[in-house]
Structure formats: structure tokens, C-alpha cells
Amino acid sequence: MAKRSETSRRSILDATLRLLSADDMTVQKLSIEAIAREAGVGKTTIYRWWPSKAAVVVDAFMENHLLHTPVQTDVSVRSALESHLRSLIGQYAGPPGRLVSQLIAEIQYDPRTRQTFLERFFYGRYYAIIELVQRGIDNGELAADLDAEVVSEMIYAPVYQHLLFGHRPLRPELATSLVDQAFALAGAGPARDAQGQARVSAA
Amino acid sequence: MAKRSETSRRSILDATLRLLSADDMTVQKLSIEAIAREAGVGKTTIYRWWPSKAAVVVDAFMENHLLHTPVQTDVSVRSALESHLRSLIGQYAGPPGRLVSQLIAEIQYDPRTRQTFLERFFYGRYYAIIELVQRGIDNGELAADLDAEVVSEMIYAPVYQHLLFGHRPLRPELATSLVDQAFALAGAGPARDAQGQARVSAA
Amino acid sequence: MAKRSETSRRSILDATLRLLSADDMTVQKLSIEAIAREAGVGKTTIYRWWPSKAAVVVDAFMENHLLHTPVQTDVSVRSALESHLRSLIGQYAGPPGRLVSQLIAEIQYDPRTRQTFLERFFYGRYYAIIELVQRGIDNGELAADLDAEVVSEMIYAPVYQHLLFGHRPLRPELATSLVDQAFALAGAGPARDAQGQARVSAA
Amino acid sequence: MAKRSETSRRSILDATLRLLSADDMTVQKLSIEAIAREAGVGKTTIYRWWPSKAAVVVDAFMENHLLHTPVQTDVSVRSALESHLRSLIGQYAGPPGRLVSQLIAEIQYDPRTRQTFLERFFYGRYYAIIELVQRGIDNGELAADLDAEVVSEMIYAPVYQHLLFGHRPLRPELATSLVDQAFALAGAGPARDAQGQARVSAA
DNA sequence: CGATAAACGAGACGGTACGTCTGGTCTTGTG
DNA sequence: CACAAGACCAGACGTACCGTCTCGTTTATCG
């Protein structure tokens, strides 16, 4: 019998985030011993419920640091895309970005956690974007012969490339650039919709 | 006096690759002790010349596993892009892909090695693609108002997204899809108006 | 209310002996967890009724492995002593000897169990031997001025010394040697004067 | 290369004795981690040079607590025996006795250490006593037909029996009793030889 | 050409963390 | 209410590596 202790679960996840919030702490340097120590918990309790350090970090991250990246539905697809990306980039430019990039690093070594990570972190946003792009195709904002999934990745993936390679800092303007390029109207701004229409009718 | 021993350098890099070629070996599990043991070398010799395990792996990788991803110049930009991507994907789908993804993981924790990695691995291809896209813009294959760098990333980054997230297996057809969508989005007209006239005339 | 479960008590003691009968098992390596597991019993049940691992082992040993070391009363004291020692040594030379030596080891660390061990294992034989020796003194087989307790220990203790130090293997002939020497030292005369007359007449 | 560090060796043995000198500390409770902590030494250093906790304790004990149990040569064998036993008992009655009894406990579980213990602790005294008894036989203090080794054990083993079973406290008078019984003249003192003869003739 | 100083292999060192095991205690149903 | 089941905190186990630090022992210029 003996049910799982919710108190321990919370202390462990809290301790994990507390430790990770230190400036020079990384997921790599974080140890299960340190988590147990900080949480006032036996190591066994961690090993009993999580298969790896990365799994604990994913859980901790998901429960407390859920990224808010809303997808608006009452505006044009283009606006919704841009504001979604802008919000995502804004968060990745700060401390959560460091954590996300380290989580992506960890899943290269831990297939079980990769699955968890995809399910709880990635797929949600991934399919939301595809749906959004599909809506753009359906309502004529985007050309009819596009493949929504591929286009979504083209818009989305550069954000992760910047995050992971760090070849350029992540700046909010990237959101605009990406959407602009996707709509093939560099810097055309709000006039775009009309133009898009014109273009469609022209086609 | 006594110069650096080329023999030791080679044994270390060779040993590193030999160890990494084992099926269940990863950069994370690889240890400097194991490299020294395998290479028949004192640990000190490794620490004397490399700042970190990741640095050794980058060196080993660069010297022996250079990816061949040619950029053709005698064909259309579209063809050159597609064959370049296809070649890159082909290699990432195999063992070098596992290693590259682990190197990207490691640079999340080691800024010095990140720099080395970018310089010796990333920038080359990155700028080659930008140049190629720019050529496409210049010669009219792609719309004139595009930002070559952003477009390059949109074409390129999805490959890394697939490599790192593994949400879908890396398939060669991705190369075609990406180039197709890029030209559908941003070709000098045709994909958008479904006539292909502008592109033809521009070319 | 709920009385103590005899079933549990038996399973615990049985499991203890079963585990201890493995060739490479020792009291030191034996754990209460393992006993509980093997017995299909909660650890609490063991802790509720026994104060220590050693106490469980003593109980298990006493109930099932009682050493049979009869003291004959229809023969000379010398014969009775020798056959008693021979029987004891015979058993100590086998697996029970290993267990006894480990129990003696354990009581060095657990005063409560030392008491139990003495009462249930040691004193019986100890006083039986003293009585026997006293009988020898009374009936003239042994010199009248001897201290029965000290002489008993002199005869008895070497067996334990062999068992515990292992400087020589425990052999049945030791029984004869010890009794011989005891009667040579303290027999009512004969051994010392090399005639054996007195002993014969006394017997 | 790299020689063993004498400094570490000393700190380890010193720390071991320091920890063991605490009133409620036992060899069983003593942990290698605690020794390493107390000695300011890595656990590896202990494991590198000693096969077990017991081995460390034996070394520590031998180097610093060598029991002084002189065997006098300028007095009668009887006196030498008695004073040797008295000295041994005196030390076993104090803290070293606790340690010796625990070492004997440990060697029940560790054959390698049993060997070390016998060689460095036991055999010396064991053979010294045999020699002494043999001298007594040779010079007529003891009967000519005795077996020196068996008689030695009869005199010696009761001390360990008292130490290990604790059925009676270890008292110095035990030395006298044992020697008295061995010389078959309870409390008769130097006049013994004559009396021994007298008794024989009486029998 | 022989000295000499750096680089080298070997590996001991103080440490940290690993993942497992056990000790005792506490909790939660079941019979 | 004793029991089985087992979760819990605590902490030791023996191992693997970390990065630093001697050790002699090559080597390969430079005086």
C-alpha cells in the first residue's frame, strides 16, 4: 500500500528549480544527490519515481515554468503567427531559454525523456502552428498549394537554431522577419492583408 | 624544450573516435580517463592541450569525419540547394548525425567549445547557403525583396530541428519539400500565382 | 486485539535459516529486508517482535538446529567428557560451526542478544561440564584440590579458540588430547607418575 | 610511478583509532566513509590500499596499540606464565579488549583479514606460550609426558572465552587460577613441586 | 654533442556523484 | 488491531571520473 507522497514530489520539483535558478548551474552540473539534499528527501525517493535526472528536470519545468505562448484566433493568421513567435522568442531570450536548450541537450542522451519532452513540450506548439498555417492556407492568406507542416517548420525551426547554436542573439525582430519572409512580403506591414487579397484575386 | 608530440595527439583523437564508434557510447558517457587509457597516454597530456572533453571530440570529429556537403555552382540555385540539403540530410541520418547532435548538446554547456564548433563546423555551411540564396535572388530565381539570411535559415533550420527533436525521422525527401516550399513561398512569382511565368522570365 | 501470528513467526525463522544455508551467506550479509522478502512478511512484523537481526538468528538457530551434545552418566567422567567434546567438535566442524562462530561475532555488538545467547546456548553446556568435572573430583577420578569451573574452562575453551581463530582445523582428536592432558595434569596421580595405576583403580 | 603517500596512510590509521575510541563506536558501526571524512582523505585511497574495513582496523590497531605482554625468562616458568597472563588480562579488561573482541568478530567474515590477524597478532603470543610450557616440561616444572601445545591452549583459551562470551568479567585472578590448575596445585605456590610429588605418592 | 628543460606515461591524490542497498519508522488498507 | 505491503529519510556501499599533483623517463633542441 502506502501511497506516493505528494509532499516529497513537490519538494523535489521545487528544489530542482531552486538549484537550477542559480546563475552558474546547469542541468549537466545538477546532481540527483544535490536535489535530494536540497529537498530534504532520500535519493531513493527520486529514483523510485523518475528514471533520470533529465526526467525530473522536465517535470519540474513543466509544472512551474509553463511557457505562455498563446495562439490568438481573433486576428489574421499572420498576426497570430507573429505574436506567437514574438512571445516564444521573448521567453527563450531569458532564463527559460537556457533551460530549454539544456533540456534539448539532455534528450540527445535519454530516449525516454525525449519522448516525454516531445509530448509535454513540443507537440502542443508544433501542431498549433501547423493548424494556424493551415488556416492561413484555407482562408487565402497563404497560397493554396503549400504544405502546412513544412511551412510551419520553416517558420519555427530558426528560433531553435538561434537558441541552440547561438550564432546570433535571439531578438524579437526575428519573429517579424520570419513571418515576413513566409508571406513573401518583406517588411510590408499591415497593408499586407489587402495586398494578400489583391494577390489572391490577381492569381 | 620538447615540442608537442604529434604521436600523442593522433592517438588521442583516434582513441576518441574509436571509443565513440561503439554503439552504446555517447559523448556524455565518454570520459577523459577512458580516452587516455585507450590512447595509452597520460591524462595530463590531454588536459595540457584541450580545455574540455567536448573540445577533444570536436577536434577528433573535424579531422576525420569532415562532412562533405558540396555546393554546386554550375546548376540552378534551386538544384544546388536541393542537392546540398540532400547530401547533408543523408549524412545526418547516419552515425555522424548522432555525433553532431551530441556535439550540439555539449556546446550548451561549454561556451569555448561553442565558439570552436561554430567556426569549424557551422559558419562555413551557413554562409555558403546564404550566398547561394543571394545568388538566387540576384538571378531572379527568388523574389527580389527577400532577406537571404532569413530565407537561408528557414530552409536550413528544419534539418536541425528534425535531427535534434527526432519528432520525425530525417528523410531525404525533406530536402525537396523544403526547397519546394521555399520557392512556392518566395519564388519570383510563379508558385504564388500558379503560372510560373515571372520566375521563367526572370531567369 | 489480534494475537501474534504464529504463521508469521514460523515463516520468519524458516526464511532466516533458508537464507543462511546458502554457501556464501553470513549473518553479517543477511539483512532484515531479505528475511522479510523471503518470508513474505512486512519488515514491521520483524521489528515488532525482535530487537535485532542477531536476535532473529539466535531464535531461528535455537528452534531448528539445537546441537545435541549429550552428557553420559553411566560411564566414567573421563569417557563422558571425551564423548561430549567429540560430539561438540563434530558439529562445530560442519555448517553449524560457521553459524555459531558468527553468532559469537554478533554478540560482541549486541548486549541484549549476548544475554539471550548465553542463556539459551551457553550456560547449559557450561554448567553441565562443571558438574561433570565436579563429579570426577568427587569420585576421585580427578585430584581433590581442583577448581571444577576453571578446569572445565580449560577443557572447553580450546574448542572455541579453534572455532574462532581457525589457526588449526577443528579435529575430533582434539577431544582426546584435551581430556588426556587434563587428566595428565590433574588426574589423581597416574599420568604424572607414568604408571596409570591410580587412574585405573579410581575408574 | 607516484609513490604511496605516507601522510595519507598515517591520517587514515589515526582517524580510525580516533573514531574507535568514542564510547559508543564499534568496528561494526565504523564506516569507511567516516574514516575518509575524519582523515581528510578520498575513499579511493582507502580502497586502494586495504581490502576491507577490518583490514584497516587491524593495521591501525597493530601500529598504535601493540599489546605489551612480555614473557620473562629469568624466573620460573610458572611465574613467567602467570605474569604474562596477568598482563594480557589486564589489557583485555580495558578498552583494547573491546577492540580485540570486535576484531575476532570481524575475522569470522573476512578470511583475508583472519590471516593477517593471526600472523600479526596471534601466532606471536601463541608460540611464545608453547615455548614457555615446553621449557617447563624440559626443566621439570611440568610433567614430562605433557603436550606443550595442548597445555598452552588450555591455559590460554579461557582468557578468550571470558573475553568473547562475557559470562564472567575478566579478572586478574583468572591468571593465577589457570596457572594453579595447570600445575595442579591450587594456590600451593612455590612449594608445589614437593606437594605434587607427595600427592602422587598418596594416590 | 651533450645538457637541460619541456613533454610525456603512469598513476596516486582529495573529492563528488553515481545507482543500489539496508536500517528503522511511518502510513495505508485488509482480514 | 496485527498484519503485508511498501513509501519514506538517511546514509553507507564500492566504483568511476574529475582535475591536480608528483614522479621518473624520454626527447629534441640550444648552448
Side-chain angles (χ1 to χ4, degrees):
Chain A
M1 323 285 157
K3 287 276 173 60
R4 173 168 189 178
S5 154
E6 177 59 18
T7 311
S8 299
R9 209 188 69 91
R10 289 282 351 138
S11 338
I12 290 165
L13 300 181
D14 289 353
T16 302
L17 290 174
R18 218 175 308 130
L19 290 170
L20 280 173
S21 71
D23 262 6
D24 60 344
M25 181 51 85
T26 66
V27 174
Q28 195 174 66
K29 285 199 267 186
L30 182 69
S31 73
I32 292 202
E33 294 230 340
I35 296 173
R37 216 181 299 131
E38 175 78 15
V41 138
K43 281 199 287 178
T44 324
T45 304
I46 301 180
Y47 283 111
R48 197 178 353 255
W49 301 109
W50 287 275
S52 68
K53 174 177 69 178
V56 180
V57 176
V58 168
D59 265 22
F61 182 62
M62 296 322 293
E63 296 220 354
N64 295 50
H65 269 297
L66 252 176
L67 297 173
H68 299 289
T69 51
V71 175
Q72 295 168 281
T73 51
D74 54 351
V75 296
S76 72
V77 165
R78 180 169 186 158
S79 296
L81 264 177
E82 188 178 336
S83 77
H84 174 87
L85 280 182
R86 203 171 268 273
S87 153
L88 192 69
I89 289 171
Q91 296 182 269
Y92 281 178
R98 234 185 62 208
L99 194 41
V100 169
S101 69
Q102 291 175 11
L103 282 176
I104 296 170
E106 294 305 315
I107 65 175
Q108 306 311 314
Y109 297 116
D110 185 343
R112 269 176 311 185
T113 303
R114 159 171 270 145
Q115 208 45 47
T116 312
F117 178 79
L118 289 176
E119 280 160 14
R120 300 184 48 190
F121 181 86
F122 180 80
Y123 288 137
R125 260 180 292 277
Y126 185 72
Y127 289 118
I129 295 295
I130 293 176
E131 229 171 278
L132 193 55
V133 167
Q134 188 60 55
R135 184 147 64 85
I137 293 169
D138 293 345
N139 75 8
E141 281 189 67
L142 285 160
D145 56 353
L146 291 175
D147 177 325
E149 183 160 12
V150 177
V151 171
S152 298
E153 292 199 321
M154 292 173 77
I155 297 172
Y156 218 64
V159 174
Y160 287 104
Q161 193 175 32
H162 280 248
L163 177 66
L164 292 165
F165 287 94
H167 55 301
R168 300 227 177 290
L170 257 182
R171 282 201 225 283
E173 303 85 56
L174 180 62
T176 311
S177 299
L178 287 168
V179 176
D180 281 354
Q181 299 304 312
F183 283 76
L185 291 163
R192 172 182 47 79
D193 269 9
Q195 272 190 254
Q197 295 291 340
R199 197 178 68 212
V200 167
S201 57
Chain B
M1 318 290 154
K3 288 269 180 64
R4 172 169 189 179
S5 153
E6 177 59 18
T7 312
S8 299
R9 208 187 69 91
R10 290 288 344 145
S11 339
I12 290 166
L13 299 181
D14 289 352
T16 303
L17 290 175
R18 218 174 309 130
L19 290 170
L20 280 173
S21 71
D23 263 8
D24 59 342
M25 181 50 85
T26 66
V27 175
Q28 196 175 64
K29 286 199 265 186
L30 183 68
S31 72
I32 291 202
E33 295 229 340
I35 295 172
R37 216 181 300 131
E38 174 78 16
V41 140
K43 282 201 285 177
T44 325
T45 306
I46 300 180
Y47 283 111
R48 191 172 4 244
W49 301 108
W50 287 275
S52 69
K53 173 177 72 179
V56 180
V57 177
V58 168
D59 265 22
F61 181 63
M62 296 321 292
E63 296 219 353
N64 295 49
H65 269 295
L66 253 174
L67 297 173
H68 300 288
T69 52
V71 176
Q72 295 168 282
T73 51
D74 54 352
V75 296
S76 71
V77 166
R78 180 167 185 157
S79 296
L81 265 176
E82 186 177 336
S83 77
H84 175 87
L85 282 180
R86 202 169 269 271
S87 153
L88 192 69
I89 289 171
Q91 296 180 270
Y92 282 177
R98 235 186 61 209
L99 195 40
V100 169
S101 68
Q102 292 175 11
L103 282 176
I104 296 170
E106 294 306 316
I107 64 175
Q108 306 311 313
Y109 297 116
D110 184 344
R112 271 176 310 184
T113 304
R114 159 171 270 146
Q115 210 44 47
T116 312
F117 178 79
L118 289 177
E119 280 160 14
R120 299 182 50 188
F121 181 87
F122 180 80
Y123 289 138
R125 258 179 295 276
Y126 185 73
Y127 289 119
I129 295 295
I130 293 177
E131 227 171 280
L132 193 55
V133 167
Q134 188 59 55
R135 183 148 64 84
I137 293 169
D138 292 347
N139 75 8
E141 281 188 69
L142 286 160
D145 54 358
L146 292 175
D147 176 325
E149 183 161 11
V150 176
V151 170
S152 297
E153 292 199 321
M154 292 173 76
I155 297 173
Y156 217 65
V159 174
Y160 287 103
Q161 192 174 37
H162 280 249
L163 178 66
L164 292 165
F165 286 94
H167 57 300
R168 300 224 177 293
L170 257 181
R171 281 200 228 282
E173 303 85 56
L174 180 62
T176 311
S177 299
L178 287 169
V179 176
D180 280 356
Q181 298 304 312
F183 279 78
L185 280 167
R192 206 167 321 139
D193 61 23
Q195 289 149 6
Q197 296 287 348
R199 196 178 71 206
V200 169
S201 57
Chain C
M1 310 288 158
K3 290 268 181 62
R4 172 168 190 181
S5 153
E6 176 59 16
T7 312
S8 299
R9 209 186 71 91
R10 289 289 342 146
S11 342
I12 290 165
L13 299 181
D14 289 352
T16 302
L17 289 175
R18 217 174 310 129
L19 289 170
L20 280 173
S21 71
D23 261 8
D24 59 343
M25 181 52 85
T26 66
V27 174
Q28 194 174 66
K29 285 199 265 187
L30 182 68
S31 72
I32 291 203
E33 297 231 340
I35 295 173
R37 213 181 302 130
E38 174 79 14
V41 139
K43 279 201 286 178
T44 326
T45 306
I46 300 179
Y47 283 112
R48 199 180 346 256
W49 301 107
W50 285 275
S52 70
K53 175 176 71 179
V56 180
V57 176
V58 168
D59 266 22
F61 181 63
M62 296 322 292
E63 298 220 352
N64 295 49
H65 269 295
L66 253 175
L67 297 173
H68 299 287
T69 52
V71 174
Q72 294 169 282
T73 51
D74 52 352
V75 297
S76 71
V77 165
R78 179 166 187 158
S79 293
L81 264 177
E82 186 177 337
S83 77
H84 174 86
L85 281 181
R86 202 171 269 271
S87 153
L88 191 69
I89 288 172
Q91 295 181 271
Y92 281 178
R98 236 185 60 208
L99 196 41
V100 169
S101 68
Q102 292 176 10
L103 281 176
I104 297 170
E106 294 305 315
I107 64 175
Q108 306 311 314
Y109 297 116
D110 183 343
R112 272 176 309 184
T113 304
R114 159 172 270 147
Q115 210 43 48
T116 312
F117 177 79
L118 288 177
E119 280 159 13
R120 299 184 49 190
F121 181 86
F122 180 81
Y123 288 138
R125 257 178 295 276
Y126 185 73
Y127 289 118
I129 295 295
I130 293 176
E131 226 170 282
L132 193 56
V133 168
Q134 188 60 54
R135 183 148 63 85
I137 293 169
D138 293 346
N139 74 10
E141 281 188 69
L142 286 160
D145 54 358
L146 292 175
D147 177 325
E149 183 161 10
V150 176
V151 170
S152 298
E153 291 199 322
M154 291 172 78
I155 297 172
Y156 216 64
V159 174
Y160 286 104
Q161 191 173 36
H162 279 249
L163 178 66
L164 292 165
F165 287 94
H167 56 301
R168 300 226 178 290
L170 257 180
R171 281 200 228 284
E173 305 84 57
L174 180 62
T176 310
S177 299
L178 287 169
V179 175
D180 280 355
Q181 298 304 311
F183 279 77
L185 280 167
R192 206 167 319 139
D193 61 22
Q195 289 148 6
Q197 297 287 348
R199 193 177 72 208
V200 168
S201 58
Chain D
M1 323 285 156
K3 287 278 172 58
R4 172 167 191 180
S5 153
E6 177 59 19
T7 311
S8 299
R9 207 187 70 91
R10 288 282 353 137
S11 336
I12 289 165
L13 299 181
D14 289 353
T16 301
L17 290 175
R18 217 175 308 131
L19 289 170
L20 280 173
S21 71
D23 262 6
D24 60 343
M25 181 52 85
T26 65
V27 174
Q28 195 173 66
K29 285 200 265 186
L30 182 68
S31 73
I32 291 202
E33 295 229 339
I35 296 173
R37 215 181 299 130
E38 174 78 14
V41 139
K43 278 201 286 178
T44 323
T45 304
I46 300 179
Y47 284 111
R48 196 174 357 248
W49 302 109
W50 287 275
S52 69
K53 174 176 70 178
V56 180
V57 176
V58 168
D59 265 22
F61 181 63
M62 295 322 292
E63 297 218 354
N64 296 49
H65 270 296
L66 253 176
L67 297 173
H68 299 288
T69 51
V71 175
Q72 295 168 281
T73 52
D74 53 351
V75 297
S76 72
V77 165
R78 178 166 187 160
S79 294
L81 264 178
E82 187 178 336
S83 78
H84 174 87
L85 280 183
R86 203 171 267 273
S87 153
L88 191 68
I89 287 171
Q91 295 181 270
Y92 282 177
R98 234 186 62 209
L99 195 40
V100 168
S101 69
Q102 292 176 11
L103 281 176
I104 296 170
E106 294 305 315
I107 65 175
Q108 305 311 314
Y109 297 115
D110 185 342
R112 270 176 310 184
T113 303
R114 159 171 269 145
Q115 209 44 46
T116 312
F117 178 79
L118 288 177
E119 281 160 13
R120 299 184 49 191
F121 182 86
F122 180 81
Y123 288 137
R125 260 179 293 274
Y126 185 74
Y127 289 118
I129 295 296
I130 292 176
E131 230 171 277
L132 193 55
V133 168
Q134 188 60 54
R135 184 148 64 86
I137 293 169
D138 293 345
N139 75 9
E141 281 189 66
L142 285 161
D145 57 353
L146 291 175
D147 177 325
E149 182 161 12
V150 177
V151 170
S152 298
E153 291 199 322
M154 291 173 79
I155 297 172
Y156 217 64
V159 175
Y160 286 103
Q161 191 174 34
H162 280 249
L163 177 67
L164 292 166
F165 286 94
H167 56 300
R168 301 226 177 292
L170 257 181
R171 282 201 226 284
E173 304 84 54
L174 180 62
T176 311
S177 300
L178 287 169
V179 175
D180 281 354
Q181 299 304 313
F183 283 76
L185 291 162
R192 169 184 49 82
D193 269 7
Q195 269 189 258
Q197 297 292 340
R199 196 177 70 210
V200 167
S201 58

